[in-house]
Amino acid sequence: MKFILGKDRKQTCLFPVSLEDSIESENSVRSIDQFVDSLNLAELGFRSDFTENGPPAYNPAVLLKLYIYGYMNRMRSSRQLEKKCRRNIEVMWLLESLTPDHNTISNFRKDNAKAIKKVFFATVQIARNFGLIGATLIAGDSTKFRAQNSKKNNFNKKKIQRHIDYIDNKLEQYNKALEQSDSENEKEDIKKNIDKHQGRRKEYEKLNVQLNASGEPQISTSDPDSKHLIVRNNITEVAYCVQSTVDADHNIPFDYLVTNKNDSKAMGQMLQRAKTILGTNTFTALYDKGYHTGSEFKTANKLGIKTLVAIPGIGRASQAPDPNYNSEHFKYNKEHDTYTCPEGNILKSNGSIYKARNYNFKQYKTTKCKACPARALCTTSKVNGKVVQRSEFHKYIEANVKSVLQNPDAYKKRQAIVEHPYGTIKRQWSFDHIMTKKTIQRASADVGFMFIAYNLKRIWNIFRKTNTPRVQAHRSLIRLFTAILTSFEEPYKQNSKYRILAHV
């Protein structure tokens, strides 16, 4: 049987192949090279001045190209990227055969979180210049990325006290055993255990002091900014919560924010950022029920932004024995500040304002509950009867319910819009955790590269499939990207609005 034979490894070539000839003209690595070369890295915040003493530093463009290539090819580890500099012919071409070590590579990502975010906004500007962001319908959501901090290294007051109580119990047992022991060797072993547990107790006491000083409900020892968050249902992880906002036209993210909090107070801030980035408030924003918070609806109303937020179900404690008697079926009279129940009785407020954790509210009730024949269907309370609460933000919540019911088709698009980037990043690329640790800024740099890689790939894939005359004139990927960058470079330098974006 005949086989295709390879060349002799020891054979020399009369006409050696150069790196330039090894990379085909349509290779996306050439587009990465052009994209980074089009950026003014000093203006974006990358360090460009280095002391003359000591060995020369690497140009930040070299390390930026390496990271973008790595993230676009599912590689984030600095050690892995270091190896690729010596093995991968595309990386050799991109970096002109430079071989930075893993510490240099890692420090670049660690030290340039703000500048990396500005590079992300550069990808957003490219998309805007070519009309890929419509700014009429957007969707926001969050996802959790596991931090470099195990659950064992995350503590709250109860957990610390539980460890201290356990140690105190063990110390008590050791002290009793020490009193009863007659063997010197055994006493020595017990004393060693006592010293070990006393040392551990001091460590937990230090953690307790740090926790009290921080004013936070929990503390992480490996990555201080990460928090123990609910990932889904009853599953929890020590993680970061990444908020993102995506335009509906081509599923392109135009903003992201790394936080360590849940979604309940996030919508107002993300809408403010979206208004600044898009330069308009005429768009409609879609969010899921995790963002259903009265104060956030008030913020959206002040910004003049129409929002559609999923309506959460009524909690079990607030459910009436018969759902027809839930408080949502009680009609409010704004003029008289009263509620009318399904039986026609009037519920009034005594005018008092009560304070909950995050809002103020009034209570409405009636004495007619005592003799009402439908009382057993309406409430389980045996003392006060039915009590309806109305928060200070209730009018905004009611307006949202009305908007969602009037636009059911619009809200159904939310998941398809905003889950697209997360599905690609977390499922296809397997980026389900944060590579960096210690400070939220370093985590933001990691997430920033994810979204830069996503946006560049998304833009290139869209234009590969587009058949408009404007794109047909630049059908070659490299010629197309050159045209994109030509349209991007000058507006980016001149448009002060996009300089502001990096500080949002």
Side-chain angles (χ1 to χ4, degrees):
M1 176 181 252
K2 293 182 179 180
F3 295 99
I4 300 173
L5 299 178
K7 293 180 180 179
D8 187 349
R9 294 190 180 98
K10 297 179 181 179
Q11 179 180 332
T12 58
C13 296
L14 180 61
F15 301 105
V17 178
S18 66
L19 280 175
E20 178 64 28
D21 294 334
S22 300
I23 305 299
E24 62 273 17
S25 61
E26 296 290 322
N27 195 314
S28 61
V29 74
R30 293 183 181 272
S31 299
I32 296 173
D33 186 60
Q34 288 192 3
F35 170 67
V36 175
D37 286 345
S38 72
L39 302 174
N40 188 325
L41 299 186
E43 281 191 6
L44 294 180
F46 290 99
R47 185 181 174 188
S48 58
D49 56 326
F50 295 90
T51 58
E52 295 298 329
N53 299 328
Y58 284 98
N59 189 323
V62 170
L63 299 170
L64 182 58
K65 291 174 184 178
L66 177 60
Y67 264 119
I68 293 176
Y69 177 87
Y71 276 74
M72 290 181 70
N73 290 276
R74 310 181 192 183
M75 294 180 291
R76 293 190 290 168
S77 164
S78 58
R79 292 183 183 271
Q80 193 176 11
L81 291 172
E82 179 188 23
K83 291 177 182 177
K84 293 297 177 183
C85 292
R86 293 177 172 84
R87 297 177 181 176
N88 189 313
I89 193 169
E90 291 180 339
V91 177
M92 291 178 186
W93 180 90
L94 186 62
L95 271 59
E96 297 176 329
S97 298
L98 294 175
T99 56
D101 66 274
H102 63 271
N103 283 325
T104 302
I105 297 169
S106 178
N107 289 338
F108 177 80
R109 176 173 55 192
K110 180 179 69 176
D111 298 335
N112 290 289
K114 289 184 179 180
I116 289 167
K117 186 145 198 176
K118 293 180 182 181
V119 175
F120 165 75
F121 282 122
T123 68
V124 175
Q125 177 65 357
I126 291 173
R128 291 206 73 180
N129 284 347
F130 267 72
L132 301 182
I133 294 180
T136 55
L137 180 64
I138 68 170
D141 202 357
S142 72
T143 190
K144 309 296 192 303
F145 287 89
R146 287 182 290 110
Q148 296 288 339
N149 194 105
S150 69
K151 291 181 183 179
K152 292 193 296 183
N153 291 332
N154 176 270
F155 301 91
N156 55 28
K157 288 187 177 182
K158 288 184 178 179
K159 189 174 181 180
I160 292 173
Q161 190 59 49
R162 189 167 64 247
H163 281 289
I164 291 175
D165 291 342
Y166 173 81
I167 291 171
D168 287 343
N169 184 45
K170 294 296 288 185
L171 287 172
E172 186 179 349
Q173 293 177 19
Y174 284 130
N175 286 325
K176 287 181 180 179
L178 187 63
E179 292 173 0
Q180 298 171 1
S181 176
D182 296 325
S183 169
E184 289 299 323
N185 290 335
E186 188 177 354
K187 285 182 178 180
E188 287 297 322
D189 291 339
I190 293 172
K191 286 179 181 179
K192 287 180 181 179
N193 283 323
I194 290 174
D195 291 341
K196 183 180 76 172
H197 280 74
Q198 285 177 340
R200 290 178 61 198
R201 195 183 196 284
K202 288 180 181 178
E203 290 177 3
Y204 287 118
E205 286 174 346
K206 287 180 182 178
L207 280 175
N208 204 18
V209 171
Q210 292 176 17
L211 182 60
N212 291 331
S214 69
E216 296 288 336
Q218 54 178 284
I219 187 172
S220 298
T221 56
S222 298
D223 191 349
D225 289 341
S226 61
K227 301 296 180 186
H228 200 172
L229 304 172
I230 297 174
V231 177
R232 64 178 183 277
N233 300 331
N234 295 323
I235 301 173
T236 62
E237 289 286 356
V238 180
Y240 285 103
C241 180
V242 178
Q243 301 286 341
S244 70
T245 313
V246 183
D247 186 79
D249 279 16
H250 293 92
N251 306 109
I252 293 178
F254 60 85
D255 189 25
Y256 71 89
L257 182 66
V258 180
T259 72
N260 52 18
K261 299 176 182 179
N262 60 27
D263 296 341
S264 62
K265 291 287 185 177
M267 184 174 72
Q269 182 183 13
M270 296 307 292
L271 288 176
Q272 176 65 71
R273 293 165 63 94
K275 181 180 178 181
T276 304
I277 293 167
L278 299 177
T280 179
N281 64 348
T282 57
F283 53 84
T284 300
L286 312 177
Y287 288 89
D288 67 21
K289 61 184 178 183
Y291 295 84
H292 195 280
T293 306
S295 59
E296 302 305 293
F297 286 123
K298 183 178 180 180
T299 301
N301 183 264
K302 284 184 177 179
L303 294 171
I305 297 171
K306 182 180 179 181
T307 58
L308 300 178
V309 182
I311 305 165
I314 299 174
R316 186 177 297 179
S318 302
Q319 287 274 9
D322 185 342
N324 291 321
Y325 289 87
N326 285 337
S327 57
E328 63 192 64
H329 299 296
F330 285 56
K331 295 181 180 179
Y332 181 69
N333 187 311
K334 184 178 179 180
E335 183 180 353
H336 297 97
D337 190 26
T338 60
Y339 274 96
T340 303
C341 77
E343 295 296 318
N345 298 317
I346 306 298
L347 286 76
K348 298 180 179 180
S349 168
N350 61 7
S352 298
I353 304 294
Y354 301 91
K355 290 187 177 181
R357 183 174 168 183
N358 295 315
Y359 61 93
N360 299 327
F361 64 92
K362 285 183 176 182
Q363 289 186 341
Y364 299 79
K365 49 191 174 182
T366 179
T367 56
K368 294 185 179 180
C369 268
K370 295 179 180 179
C372 181
R375 176 169 179 163
L377 301 175
C378 187
T379 180
T380 56
S381 174
K382 296 180 181 180
V383 181
N384 295 321
K386 184 76 170 185
V387 178
V388 176
Q389 291 186 359
R390 183 179 180 85
S391 81
E392 59 183 307
F393 306 117
H394 202 85
K395 64 178 182 179
Y396 304 113
I397 295 171
E398 287 179 334
N400 175 70
V401 172
K402 185 177 179 180
S403 296
V404 171
L405 295 177
Q406 288 177 346
N407 302 276
D409 294 333
Y411 181 76
K412 288 178 182 178
K413 298 175 183 178
R414 184 202 67 84
Q415 195 171 20
I417 298 167
V418 77
E419 296 292 348
H420 190 285
Y422 289 145
T424 301
I425 291 170
K426 298 187 78 171
R427 291 298 180 92
Q428 290 188 18
W429 298 354
S430 299
F431 294 168
D432 59 356
H433 63 281
I434 299 294
M435 281 291 293
T436 58
K437 67 177 180 180
K438 293 187 177 178
T439 76
I440 199 168
Q441 287 78 16
R442 295 180 184 180
S444 180
D446 187 27
V447 174
F449 275 126
M450 294 181 198
F451 280 105
I452 289 168
Y454 176 86
N455 273 2
L456 289 178
K457 271 200 167 185
R458 184 75 181 147
I459 291 167
W460 295 340
N461 289 337
I462 289 169
F463 277 101
R464 276 175 175 152
K465 298 175 182 178
T466 303
N467 290 316
T468 62
R470 188 179 184 185
V471 173
Q472 284 178 344
H474 306 285
R475 178 49 59 196
S476 165
L477 177 62
I478 305 306
R479 282 184 292 151
L480 171 61
F481 202 65
T482 301
I484 294 174
L485 291 175
T486 301
S487 74
F488 153 74
E489 191 172 3
E490 289 305 318
Y492 180 76
K493 290 179 179 177
Q494 296 171 7
N495 195 338
S496 61
K497 181 174 70 175
Y498 282 90
R499 295 183 180 179
I500 296 172
L501 295 185
H503 303 288
V504 173

